[in-house]
């Protein structure tokens, strides 16, 4: 029973850290994309860089599921940031 409680706490801690890291990274990417002047080009370049890192770090033969999951996360992350920046730019013009 004690091990189950410890495991549950460990999982909760990892999830909380993941959420915090996600928000920190989101803010950094948003700021850098704004400063770049061309957010779409910045995000596209970032997507290429991250894909190369995943390909080099996670050989597809060994961990295809993990690599595909990471790519899906990057895609969703970058699309979210891009959409937020586009909406912000449109509201600034109004």
């Amino acid at each position: 029973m004690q091990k189950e409680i410890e495991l549950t706490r460990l999982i909760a801690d990892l999830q909380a850290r993941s959420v915090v890291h996600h928000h920190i990274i989101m803010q950094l990417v948003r700021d850098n994309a704004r400063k770049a002047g061309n957010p779409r080009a910045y995000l596209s370049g970032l997507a290429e860089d991250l894909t190369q890192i995943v390909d080099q770090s996670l050989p597809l033969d060994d961990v295809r599921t993990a690599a595909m999951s990471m790519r899906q996360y990057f895609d969703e992350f970058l699309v979210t940031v891009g959409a937020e920046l586009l909406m912000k730019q449109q509201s600034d013009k109004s």
Side-chain angles (χ1 to χ4, degrees), residues 46-61 63-79:
L46 182 59
E48 289 177 23
D49 291 345
L50 294 174
T51 298
Q52 288 178 358
I53 290 168
V54 169
D55 286 345
Q56 293 168 3
S57 303
L58 303 172
L60 289 179
D61 294 342
V63 286
R64 177 175 289 284
T65 302
M68 292 179 74
S69 175
M70 187 66 72
R71 284 201 185 102
Q72 181 180 356
Y73 172 76
F74 288 152
D75 289 345
E76 291 170 4
F77 179 87
L78 295 172
V79 165

Side-chain angles (χ1 to χ4, degrees), residues 15-58:
Q15 288 174 329
R17 289 171 189 246
S18 175
V19 168
V20 169
H21 290 152
H22 174 81
H23 286 289
I24 290 169
I25 291 169
M26 271 293 246
Q27 191 60 42
L28 291 171
V29 169
R30 275 191 210 113
D31 289 347
N32 286 339
R34 279 189 207 110
K35 291 175 186 173
N38 186 347
R40 184 170 287 165
Y42 172 80
L43 294 173
S44 178
L46 182 59
E48 289 177 23
D49 291 345
L50 294 174
T51 298
Q52 288 178 358
I53 290 168
V54 169
D55 286 345
Q56 293 168 3
S57 303
L58 303 172

Side-chain angles (χ1 to χ4, degrees), residues 5 16 20 60 67 84 89:
I5 292 172
V20 169
L60 289 179
E84 288 174 1
Q89 285 177 343

